[in-house]
Amino acid sequence: MTSLIDRYDLILLDIDGVLVLGQQPIPGAAETVAAVRTKGVPLRFTTNSPRRRPGEAAEMLNKAGIKATADEVVTPTGIAAATLAQRLPPGAAVLVVGSDALRDEVAAVGLKPVNSADDRPQAVVQGFAPTIDWPSLAEAALTLQRPETLWLATNLDETWPSERGPVPGNGAFIAALTAATGREPDLSVGKPEPTLFHQQARAHNAQHPLVVGDRLDTDIEGGRRAGFDTLLVLTGVTTPGMLANSDVHPTYIGESITHLLAEPAALTDAVRR
Ligand SMILES: [Mg+2]
């Protein structure tokens, strides 16, 4: 039987809301990933979440029963650090609001991660981590009072899907700083920016990648900007009501990632019945 994945030469899978909710596997995710591997179609886990290193994300997926390796996980932290390195002099201080994974990437490109506005950082880089607290937001607000400070976000997702429902994501913490400073980030490098998708397509010499995600404003809009087909799944933050009111239209709509194995004709009607 023909399934959706037979049409594509690279599958770019979001993690949160597609494969897992929190750390709990979404029903059918493990079997679907295994089936994609059996078919020999390459896949990459393209997450907007900067809170884990690729190895940590792969470990979380493996614990949830979903086979993954570190080199298959793509996060926006590397692109964020590379972008900072292009814009700042070597050794420049950068205030990191986020995870140790993000801090490591900043150090790896020859910049100096710092925690205080008193260190005169030339940039603020902000990516979600569950450990972000008021003192780190306060240091960022004080740093951003200097108008020449560059403010770079890994991503703008307002929420991420936990086991118990949507909870504040990077965009929510950015909104707190916007309220406090009157500024908005100068740029964001994660989805819907197409950089990460284009990098992966080039690396795999793929002509017809498929982007799979649960968010219209990041995954699906990012796929559209990249020029790739998209599958929206309804296991994460997007509800049928949100979809009905959106200007962003996926190529396919499925109840879950298991629809990767469905016949293509069955997909677009999934929520329009
Ligand atoms: Mg997601």
Side-chain angles (χ1 to χ4, degrees):
M1 189 182 77
T2 306
S3 64
L4 187 63
I5 50 176
D6 295 322
R7 293 183 172 184
Y8 298 97
D9 54 5
L10 174 64
I11 310 291
L12 299 169
L13 288 173
D14 183 38
I15 296 178
D16 293 301
V18 173
L19 301 170
V20 293
L21 287 174
Q23 299 186 20
Q24 299 302 312
I26 287 171
E31 295 83 352
T32 304
V33 167
V36 172
R37 293 187 188 284
T38 302
K39 289 226 178 213
V41 183
L43 59 85
R44 284 294 179 270
F45 303 100
T46 47
T47 176
N48 247 5
S49 174
R51 69 185 186 277
R52 293 187 177 97
R53 297 178 179 90
E56 294 167 340
E59 190 183 332
M60 182 274 292
L61 287 170
N62 283 313
K63 276 188 185 152
I66 298 159
K67 189 167 166 270
T69 60
D71 60 4
E72 291 175 329
V73 177
V74 186
T75 80
T77 56
I79 297 171
T83 305
L84 288 170
Q86 283 165 8
R87 297 193 174 215
L88 301 174
V94 175
L95 187 89
V96 179
V97 182
S99 63
D100 287 342
L102 183 56
R103 192 174 303 274
D104 290 351
E105 294 279 3
V106 168
V109 296
L111 299 169
K112 185 183 170 197
V114 298
N115 299 319
S116 168
D118 295 340
D119 294 321
R120 305 292 296 180
Q122 295 185 38
V124 172
V125 62
Q126 185 166 4
F128 174 77
T131 50
I132 288 175
D133 55 9
W134 185 87
S136 62
L137 292 174
E139 294 302 323
L142 293 167
T143 303
L144 291 171
Q145 281 176 2
R146 294 191 284 271
E148 68 277 14
T149 309
L150 176 70
W151 185 8
L152 189 151
T154 57
N155 64 304
L156 301 173
D157 302 42
E158 286 150 355
T159 55
W160 67 271
S162 78
E163 300 94 320
R164 296 161 62 205
V167 291
N170 205 39
F173 287 94
I174 285 166
L177 283 178
T178 293
T181 64
R183 289 187 59 170
E184 292 187 353
D186 297 296
L187 72 165
S188 170
V189 296
K191 300 177 276 188
E193 291 303 316
T195 318
L196 186 148
F197 290 155
H198 283 152
Q199 268 186 355
Q200 291 306 311
R202 270 198 306 275
H204 290 84
N205 199 20
Q207 308 302 314
H208 301 290
L210 177 68
V211 172
V212 184
D214 68 311
R215 285 194 77 101
L216 289 160
D217 60 347
T218 56
D219 305 306
I220 305 307
E221 173 63 10
R224 187 192 69 76
R225 290 192 199 174
F228 301 163
D229 283 359
T230 55
L231 166 64
L232 177 78
V233 297
L234 299 176
T235 45
V237 300
T238 302
T239 61
M242 289 160 73
L243 182 59
N245 291 316
S246 172
D247 295 332
V248 180
H249 303 293
T251 316
Y252 310 102
I253 300 157
E255 298 285 349
S256 80
I257 188 182
T258 60
H259 286 255
L260 274 180
L261 306 175
E263 286 186 73
L267 285 163
T268 41
D269 296 333
V271 294
R272 291 182 191 156
R273 56 180 180 248

